[in-house]
Amino acid sequence: SKTVSITYLEADGTSKTVDADIGTDLMTTAHDNDIELEGACGGELACSTCHLIFEEDIYDTLPEKDDEEDDMLDLAFEVTETSRLGCQIIVQENFDGMTVKIP
């Protein structure tokens, strides 16, 4: 399967660059690569623990978030204008080289 390079910037300032399979969500990609991104509900849109902050140019290319995701983000810490839930974002080719921040 085709992969792209994504860097996760962890809350403690360390970063880890991984090969992410296109078509996999960012929460699963983090878990598969031992990155500290909780995802307590397992991607069921029942928590906000896989909250990620995107670079604006990538954020602008993401599909619109639905009301459920918006409601969960209201419960997240350190929400920004470019916050999304990692379980809802599917890796795309244009993600190659991007950095996402874990608040």
Side-chain angles (χ1 to χ4, degrees):
S1 65
K2 192 162 170 29
T3 63
V4 294
S5 175
I6 295 177
T7 300
Y8 288 82
L9 183 60
E10 299 192 47
D12 66 4
T14 60
S15 66
K16 184 171 186 180
T17 301
V18 302
D19 290 324
D21 292 323
I22 291 175
T24 305
D25 67 76
L26 289 174
M27 181 193 72
T28 301
T29 299
H31 291 175
D32 290 348
N33 290 280
D34 298 318
I35 292 168
E36 291 292 321
L37 182 65
E38 189 174 341
C41 77
E44 300 294 318
L45 261 181
C47 74
S48 59
T49 58
C50 66
H51 170 210
L52 293 169
I53 299 171
F54 289 80
E55 298 165 315
E56 195 167 340
D57 58 330
I58 293 290
Y59 180 86
D60 290 341
T61 71
L62 299 175
E64 289 290 311
K65 59 184 174 238
D66 61 24
D67 291 342
E68 280 182 279
E69 183 181 358
D70 228 7
D71 290 346
M72 284 299 116
L73 278 168
D74 285 344
L75 307 174
F77 294 102
E78 298 178 45
V79 173
T80 72
E81 291 291 313
T82 60
S83 290
R84 294 293 298 266
L85 297 180
C87 69
Q88 297 300 300
I89 305 301
I90 304 301
V91 176
Q92 305 169 47
E93 279 192 50
N94 68 314
F95 287 9
D96 194 38
M98 84 165 180
T99 298
V100 290
K101 184 177 177 213
I102 301 170

